[in-house]
């Protein structure tokens, strides 16, 4: 029965780029592996990892000297490492994390054929490499799953109790639910994320486009509701399935999440903080509750009632005198601060613009990455 399931899944769930966008060669001078068709970088290791299913997958490990956390990234459908390489390098730099990305069996230069069970073995091999080769601890790992990659991500996350965090990017409830509005889970369905996410113990960040015409945004919202440790989600207005990296709020929200994770002493503290910030999913990154006008007015009136009315003129005179004395000195300070703030904002804007421009030139995935059985590929 399992073989039948994998066979059905392979017909509609997996579309590896053909031909692969890169090659793997051995450098004669160093004996190390490197990818062709992409720029070689000193901080990038290229690896071939054996899986328990007997396949060998290609992976890249990108080091960031300022990193305390490591992201294990499972990419979406119809993409491979060659197409994701520049994104991985940029994410490692902007988020200040180490990052490992890998190709599923049958993708890129990985051997074997793609299947649901093979992707589970693939992510396990990548995670085992992080532990054994790079000495990464479970509590310092963030699993990141995009689209189909949400399947292996949640499968592994549901079995790791000390994981630091999970990011789900345009995730699916299950393979069958992408195409049909089924109300129950069938035995032949694949990537049953809807059943696995309640088992995840760490904070979960969901990112989904509101205009996603491949995997409806309702998938992300339902997974958010089912998460145990909710973090403030990002619903990208007008975002589709394969373009969320182009929106400035994408990298801004990710950086905010990573920062919160880094500062927390435990994942439960992060989740408690995020839940205090939200009472329902929001469509922007600004989710802090603001006091209403009536509340502010009541507070002001209450304060005025407690103050003696006879001292009003004296307070006004004193305040005016202080204002005149401080005005000249503050104007200089404010000018300096304004210049500093402007420079910081300009640097941040240029960083985000550079990221967006780089993403526009990359082929992240195919819009037809999910097709019904029998579709022409």
């Amino acid at each position: 029965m399992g073989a039948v399931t994998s066979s059905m899944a392979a017909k509609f769930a997996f579309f590896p780029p053909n031909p692969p966008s890169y090659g793997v060669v051995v450098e004669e001078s160093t004996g190390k592996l490197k990818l062709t068709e992409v720029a070689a970088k000193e901080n990038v290791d290229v690896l071939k990892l054996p899986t328990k299913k007997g396949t060998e997958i290609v992976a890249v490990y990108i080091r960031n000297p300022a990193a305390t956390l490591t992201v294990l990234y499972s990419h979406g459908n119809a993409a491979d490492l060659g197409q994701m390489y520049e994104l991985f390098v940029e994410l490692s730099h902007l988020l200040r994390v180490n990052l490992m990305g890998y190709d599923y069996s049958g993708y890129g230069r990985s051997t074997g054929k793609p299947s649901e069970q093979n992707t589970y073995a693939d992510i396990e091999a990548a995670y085992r490499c992080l532990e054994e080769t790079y000495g990464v601890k479970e509590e310092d790992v963030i699993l990141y799953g995009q689209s189909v990659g949400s399947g292996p991500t949640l499968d592994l996350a549901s079995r790791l109790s000390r994981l630091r965090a999970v990011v789900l990017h345009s995730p699916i409830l299950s393979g069958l639910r992408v195409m049909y509005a089924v109300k129950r889970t069938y035995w032949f369905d694949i990537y049953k994320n809807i059943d696995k996410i309640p088992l995840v113990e760490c904070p979960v960040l969901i990112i989904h486009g509101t205009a996603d015409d491949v995997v409806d945004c309702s998938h992300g919202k339902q997974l958010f509701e089912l998460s145990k440790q909710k973090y403030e989600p990002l619903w990208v207005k007008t975002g589709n399935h394969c373009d969320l990296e182009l929106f400035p709020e994408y990298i801004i929200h990710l950086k905010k999440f990573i920062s919160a994770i880094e500062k927390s002493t435990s994942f439960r503290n992060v989740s408690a903080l995020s839940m205090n910030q939200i009472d329902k999913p929001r469509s922007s990154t600004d989710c802090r509750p603001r006091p209403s006008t009536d509340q502010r007015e009541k507070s002001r009136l209450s304060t005025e009632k407690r103050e003696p009315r006879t001292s009003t003129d004296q307070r006004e005179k004193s305040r005016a005198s202080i204002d005149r004395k401080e005005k000249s000195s503050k104007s200089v300070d404010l000018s300096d601060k304004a210049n500093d703030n402007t420079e910081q904002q300009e640097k941040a804007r240029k960083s985000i613009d550079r990221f967006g421009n780089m993403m526009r030139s990359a082929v992240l995935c195919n819009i037809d990455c999910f097709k019904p059985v029998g579709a022409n590929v």
Side-chain angles (χ1 to χ4, degrees), residues 56-76:
E56 187 177 63
I57 62 170
V58 180
V60 294
Y61 178 77
I62 304 166
R63 297 181 300 278
N64 186 316
T68 59
L69 301 174
T70 299
V71 172
L72 177 52
Y73 195 117
S74 300
H75 63 66

Side-chain angles (χ1 to χ4, degrees), residues 9 18 79 189 195 199 210 220 264 277 299:
N18 187 20
D189 201 355
D195 299 328
L199 305 176
T210 61
S264 69
Q277 292 174 338
S299 177

